[in-house]
Amino acid sequence: MYYSLEPAYLVQNELTRLIMKASMDPVNKWFFADGCFSADSDLEHSPNTWRHENFVIIVNREIIAYLESIWSKPLNIISNFRLIIFNKNKGYIVSKAIFEYFDYMFEVRGCRAFNWFVAEKNFHACRVYEKFTSHYFGHVCGRRHSGQMAYNGEISDIILYEVTSEEYFRWKTFVEGKNKAGLLL
């Protein structure tokens, strides 16, 4: 199935509607790090990659996921990353697009480190990130006490994750070597 990774500002109105709709699902209560969503400050009104890299994954004109990264310039470090999947049935496509996104961030944009956190009480996301970092690249770099509030007021500790460019390129070289040897299809 074909997908495209597009700048979020191109579909801002539809994306705002989807995020607001997703916020009503208790599964997504940890998506908003400060307990709320504000389209005016969270979504860019124009193309700008100095502070944010906001993208959507689109399949057949349907937005299936939203990726948001916040740059710490001029260090070339992503200081925060968020992902929300609107169509859970398209998880495989989202996974493929995320790897394309990492290619873009590290290879094209020159990202030196990519950081994100997840609420410890967001059990599903914690499992996903633990599997991701153990199978591909990245690591847990710490924990913070009472670091996030869900939109219902619940407080959770957070787990801090990081991917360095060295980890990413080491993994990429390993995968390309296996592809050349015909070990991966």
Side-chain angles (χ1 to χ4, degrees), residues 36-47:
C36 67
F37 171 71
S38 169
D40 287 346
S41 62
D42 288 351
L43 298 177
E44 296 180 56
H45 297 284
S46 63

Side-chain angles (χ1 to χ4, degrees), residues 24-155:
M24 292 186 270
D25 184 346
V27 167
N28 298 322
K29 70 182 178 181
W30 296 106
F31 179 74
F32 309 100
D34 56 359
C36 67
F37 171 71
S38 169
D40 287 346
S41 62
D42 288 351
L43 298 177
E44 296 180 56
H45 297 284
S46 63
N48 178 352
T49 59
W50 177 250
R51 292 192 35 94
H52 296 92
E53 294 278 356
N54 299 345
F55 287 92
V56 291
I57 302 167
I58 298 176
V59 174
N60 296 329
R61 299 183 352 176
E62 174 194 4
I63 300 170
I64 65 167
Y66 169 61
L67 301 98
E68 174 188 275
S69 296
I70 299 172
W71 282 104
S72 176
K73 294 284 189 177
L75 297 173
N76 254 6
I77 294 173
I78 294 297
S79 59
N80 194 10
F81 171 73
R82 295 191 315 168
L83 165 67
I84 190 164
I85 301 171
F86 302 116
N87 187 332
K88 308 286 192 233
N89 296 325
K90 304 235 188 303
Y92 177 74
I93 295 169
V94 171
S95 296
K96 285 179 64 169
I98 288 172
F99 284 105
E100 181 181 335
Y101 185 68
F102 275 114
D103 286 345
Y104 168 74
M105 296 303 279
F106 284 108
E107 294 179 16
V108 176
R109 299 287 283 142
C111 181
R112 295 176 55 224
F114 197 99
N115 298 283
W116 74 97
F117 63 88
V118 64
E120 206 168 44
K121 291 182 181 179
N122 188 349
F123 304 114
H124 174 72
C126 286
R127 280 194 315 271
V128 168
Y129 292 137
E130 289 299 323
K131 283 182 181 180
F132 181 87
T133 57
S134 67
H135 285 75
Y136 302 107
F137 46 81
H139 60 276
V140 172
C141 61
R143 289 178 163 37
R144 187 172 295 144
H145 182 68
S146 298
Q148 187 173 354
M149 180 175 68
Y151 66 69
N152 66 356
E154 188 178 352
I155 303 291

Side-chain angles (χ1 to χ4, degrees), residues 153-171:
E154 188 178 352
I155 303 291
S156 177
D157 292 351
I158 60 174
I159 302 170
L160 307 165
Y161 293 90
E162 178 178 65
V163 175
T164 64
S165 59
E166 292 83 9
E167 288 173 312
Y168 169 77
F169 286 114
R170 187 172 41 249
W171 170 81

